[in-house]
Amino acid sequence: MSGHDMTRRRAIEVGGIAAAASLAAGGAAALGQARAPAATGQPMPDDVSLPSQPPRAPRPGSVGFAIIGLGDYALNQIMPRFARSERTHIAALVSGNPDKLRQVGEAYGVAPEARYSYERFDEIAANPAVEAVYIILPSGLHAEWTERAFAAGKHVLCEKPMALTSAECERMIAAGQRANRRLMIAYRVHFEPYNMAAMDLMREKAVGDLRLIRTEHSYRAGPSTPATNWRHNRALAGGGPLEDYGLYGLQATLYLSGEMPTRISASAHRPEGDPRFSEIFAHVAAQLHFPSGAVAQVVTSYDSAGLNLVEARGNAGALVMRPATNYNGNTLSLETGRDGRKLEPGDSEVQFAGQLNHFAAAIRDGAPIITPGEMGLRDLRLIEAIYASATSGRTVALNPDATMRG
Ligand code: NAD
């Protein structure tokens, strides 16, 4: 029996046929199966400011990356931050929009022969200047492009969520092993000073024994539809806000508690008649129960006033982060008794270069990856358990590796 069949069988035992169907569709949950479309060219996003001059020449030993997908996050956040990473540089670009490819290539000093269309991507195997690819495509395309990049002999840094189902994650990990190449998931907050300080404080029991964690990652989506915005399209986004934004809260419950949940109960809501939510959920709320007795709430919404909050409460104090997981502007305060202490552990900006340098160290020096494919797989298993509970209306019991207990 394959892992996937096993998951189906467990789902039937845990939550009945409906939950099994939802698991087979992964993050698409109770919303049915959907097949991801092909990668296609999209226009230049709004408000992109391209560099006025090409970056400096790479340092000796720097790892050359191909960027796959020239969307908002790639162009506005990731690509400009390569300038601050001394161990990596942009060596190639992959896009389905020839005009955007030319414009971005010229701005970043990427030669025409290192600009690839999706159709020509496999030729990248013959380009030794590219050692790694950074996949910044819609989430439903991560698995396919990770496998293609491994087949081309490249290392893969893949955006979060790793994929939309645990079965896809398992395939991605296996493809990396077959190719003998490294796989890292771009969970940037593991390199962000406020979150790193919060992890240290929790390890030092700064709040005493942990009792409660509360996380919320919400915003109100504009008038998008599955046709106009991939984040509303279940083939590309799974169940929606949980995979995209709530995942930060789910992650925080694990790295702050240092535990894996043994039980999960959850609900997910899709309002009728709202075109934004014809294919995805508007809100998801999950409760995670940890072996220590601590309980965590993970709430996420695409249809409520914006909030980015992580809070951990123990029997001796509380740690509050609001916002907690942004690109910058995060806050961290430690409240014990009557004292409130605001901490400023560093510049959030370093998370981007930190992530790139970490992957370069893995490739060059064989260093361990702190956010490997196995972490992405773990998180997709938890997401599937959340949807299984939401679909069945029952609490789902978990094994330590986050698979559902039969
Ligand atoms: P985006 O829509 O701005 O960009 C996606 C790009 O993918 C498009 O520009 C297009 O060039 C390309 N694409 C190829 N095929 C496509 C298709 N069929 N439909 C739509 N686009 C297609 O999205 P984004 O915000 O840049 O997100 C891309 C990825 O990065 C997602 O996986 C997302 O979860 C992740 N992300 C991560 C963070 C973070 O903080 N780590 C932040 C934002 C986005």
Side-chain angles (χ1 to χ4, degrees), residues 120-138:
R120 280 189 49 228
F121 171 77
D122 300 330
E123 295 171 21
I124 212 164
N127 184 344
V130 176
E131 290 180 75
V133 305
Y134 191 163
I135 296 175
I136 321 184
L137 290 165

Side-chain angles (χ1 to χ4, degrees), residues 37-43 45 68-74 77 95-96 100 118 134-139 141-142 159-161 186-188 229-231 236 243-244 248 325 327 352 355:
T40 54
Q42 304 290 319
I68 310 189
L70 303 180
D72 177 56
Y73 190 57
Q77 305 301 333
S95 166
K100 191 168 62 173
Y118 293 118
Y134 191 163
I135 296 175
I136 321 184
L137 290 165
S139 309
L141 298 173
H142 291 179
E159 259 312 321
K160 47 55 61 181
Y187 283 132
R188 60 178 167 73
N229 183 341
W230 69 263
R231 282 189 164 81
L236 292 168
E243 288 88 333
D244 185 33
Y248 290 98
T325 58
Y327 304 146
F352 298 98
Q355 173 173 271

Side-chain angles (χ1 to χ4, degrees), residues 85-227:
S85 155
E86 61 284 357
R87 300 197 69 177
T88 64
H89 64 278
I90 297 171
L93 300 173
V94 185
S95 166
N97 179 323
D99 282 345
K100 191 168 62 173
L101 196 53
R102 181 189 47 75
Q103 238 180 302
V104 177
E106 284 171 3
Y108 278 92
V110 175
E113 58 276 16
R115 302 177 199 157
Y116 298 85
S117 63
Y118 293 118
E119 290 74 26
R120 280 189 49 228
F121 171 77
D122 300 330
E123 295 171 21
I124 212 164
N127 184 344
V130 176
E131 290 180 75
V133 305
Y134 191 163
I135 296 175
I136 321 184
L137 290 165
S139 309
L141 298 173
H142 291 179
E144 175 192 344
W145 286 87
T146 294
E147 289 184 288
R148 285 181 73 165
F150 281 138
K154 310 303 180 188
H155 302 280
V156 176
L157 176 57
C158 178
E159 259 312 321
K160 47 55 61 181
M162 178 173 173
L164 297 181
T165 68
S166 61
E168 285 180 325
C169 297
E170 284 165 1
R171 279 201 342 248
M172 293 159 80
I173 291 169
Q177 286 166 349
R178 274 197 308 277
N180 195 22
R181 292 290 180 269
R182 308 298 300 268
L183 171 60
M184 172 168 163
I185 309 306
Y187 283 132
R188 60 178 167 73
V189 298
H190 289 259
F191 305 91
E192 194 275 331
Y194 285 77
N195 283 274
M196 290 163 75
M199 292 176 208
D200 288 344
L201 288 168
M202 293 300 290
R203 269 193 294 266
E204 293 158 10
K205 288 200 170 286
V207 301
D209 292 328
L210 178 65
R211 298 288 189 248
L212 301 169
I213 297 182
R214 198 157 69 93
T215 78
E216 182 167 342
H217 286 81
S218 299
Y219 70 91
R220 188 147 198 283
S224 308
T225 68

Side-chain angles (χ1 to χ4, degrees), residues 315-354:
N315 59 0
L319 187 154
V320 181
M321 306 179 73
R322 180 178 173 174
T325 58
N326 276 351
Y327 304 146
N328 47 49
N330 294 326
T331 67
L332 172 62
S333 56
L334 182 63
E335 298 164 5
T336 47
R338 286 196 191 166
D339 298 335
R341 190 155 63 94
K342 267 182 101 95
L343 290 98
E344 291 178 359
D347 183 355
S348 294
E349 175 71 28
V350 302
Q351 63 187 312
F352 298 98

